[in-house]
Each structure stands twice: as structure tokens, then as C-alpha cells.
């Protein structure tokens, strides 16, 4: 069963946002291969608008460069990574997004794909919406 079909079977009805990409880390990758309905609702994008694009389209002026770099490094190393980033909906509205990214790595170490679980989190009053980040596990 292709990975996308497997993820779709698992994730279509989940109430957490799910996004699957290919393993091409350098722009214009990673390409979005699948998103679930919860992800569409959170971002305001229909899947037809974002399939084939890369998840940087959710970033903007408020997205921490340092957090992005840590995420990029984890993906290069094939490591699971959790972070909280400022992302932007289709409307341009910023929201705080907790992301848990799982790389899918071939036996030779090559990155095949990545799956992220994404959830909007509330901003704590008085706290700046900057990134919190760290390794899981
Ligand atoms: C499966 C997956 C989902 C991602 N989702 C998001 C996201 O929702 N928001 C975001 O800002 N970055 C997301 N990213 C991260 C960016 O695609 C990119 O990896 C990050 O910006 C670091 O790489 P760069 O320094 O080349 O930009 C995701 C990455 C992957 C692999």
C-alpha cells in the first residue's frame, strides 16, 4: 500500500492536523503529499491548493528562524522533532502551532518522507508567541 494511502486511512478522521511530505528537504521541497480535513480546517486552505507546495507557505514574519533551523537539522538527521511555531492561515491570521514531525528513513539513512502531527495551541496571556522547541523522547 503506498504510504500516502496508509496515512490517509489512519488520519482522515483524526482531530489533529496531519501532513505528509516527500523527503526532498531543499526548496522547492519538501512537497506536501497529503493533508487531512483537520489540517485544512486549521490552515483555511483546501487540500487542492496546497498539495505539491511545501510547508514554508505557512510561515511568515513571526516564525522563528532559529526554530526553523532546528527543525531543518532534525529532518536532515532523520530525528523526530517537536516544536511550537507561529504559522499563518490562508487569511493571513497568525496562530501558534505545536508540531511533532516524524521522519521516515530508509535503511541507508536517506529521508523518504515525513509526517507531522499539528495542533493549534492557545497563546498564554502576556507571553510572546515565539517558538518553544526541543527534541522529543
Ligand atoms: C511533514 C512536515 C510538515 C511541516 N509543517 C510545517 C508547518 O506546519 N509549519 C512550518 O512552519 N513548517 C513546517 N515544516 C517545516 C518546513 O517545511 C521546513 O522543513 C522548515 O522551514 C525548515 O527548513 P528550511 O530551513 O529549509 O526552511 C514541515 C516540515 C515537514 C517535513
Amino acid at each position: 500500500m503506498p504510504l500516502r494511502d496508509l496515512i490517509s486511512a489512519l488520519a482522515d478522521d483524526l482531530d489533529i492536523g496531519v501532513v505528509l511530505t516527500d523527503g526532498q528537504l531543499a526548496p522547492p521541497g519538501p512537497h506536501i503529499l497529503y493533508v487531512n480535513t483537520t489540517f485544512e480546517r486549521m490552515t483555511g486552505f483546501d487540500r487542492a491548493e496546497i498539495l505539491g507546495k511545501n510547508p514554508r507557505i505557512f510561515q511568515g514574519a513571526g516564525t522563528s528562524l532559529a526554530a526553523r533551523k532546528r527543525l531543518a537539522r532534525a529532518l536532515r538527521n532523520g530525528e523526530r522533532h517537536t516544536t511550537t511555531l507561529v504559522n499563518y492561515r490562508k487569511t493571513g491570521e497568525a496562530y501558534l502551532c505545536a508540531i511533532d514531525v516524524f521522519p521516515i528513513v530508509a535503511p541507508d539513512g536517506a529521508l523518504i518522507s515525513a509526517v507531522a502531527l499539528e495542533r493549534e495551541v492557545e497563546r498564554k496571556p502576556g507571553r510572546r508567541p515565539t517558538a518553544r522547541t526541543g527534541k522529543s523522547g
Side-chain angles (χ1 to χ4, degrees):
M1 185 188 262
L3 186 57
R4 183 178 28 203
D5 296 347
L6 179 64
I7 297 293
S8 170
L10 279 166
D12 278 353
D13 298 326
L14 291 185
D15 69 353
I16 187 166
V18 178
V19 49
L20 171 74
T21 67
D22 66 14
Q24 186 192 316
L25 294 179
H31 302 95
I32 296 173
L33 303 177
Y34 166 82
V35 298
N36 70 353
T37 309
T38 300
F39 190 86
E40 291 179 298
R41 216 177 296 129
M42 180 172 73
T43 61
F45 287 99
D46 289 338
R47 63 190 65 188
E49 298 177 283
I50 51 179
L51 292 179
K53 306 252 169 67
N54 76 64
R56 293 182 200 86
I57 61 173
F58 309 111
Q59 299 172 356
T63 309
S64 159
L65 185 60
R68 270 179 53 183
K69 285 187 175 165
R70 283 190 287 268
L71 176 51
R73 188 170 56 234
L75 286 167
R76 274 199 309 275
N77 294 339
E79 291 163 357
R80 179 179 170 187
H81 188 76
T82 60
T83 188
T84 303
L85 288 167
V86 176
N87 271 180
Y88 294 83
R89 300 188 225 278
K90 185 178 177 181
T91 58
E93 183 196 3
Y95 67 102
L96 207 49
C97 189
I99 301 178
D100 194 356
V101 190
F102 299 76
I104 299 168
V105 180
D108 70 358
L111 184 70
I112 297 171
S113 242
V115 189
L117 305 180
E118 305 202 5
R119 194 187 291 284
E120 181 171 355
V121 293
E122 281 184 32
R123 293 170 193 221
K124 299 268 189 313
R127 271 193 55 193
R128 283 195 306 138
T130 51
R132 259 188 317 111
T133 189
K135 270 188 205 164
S136 336

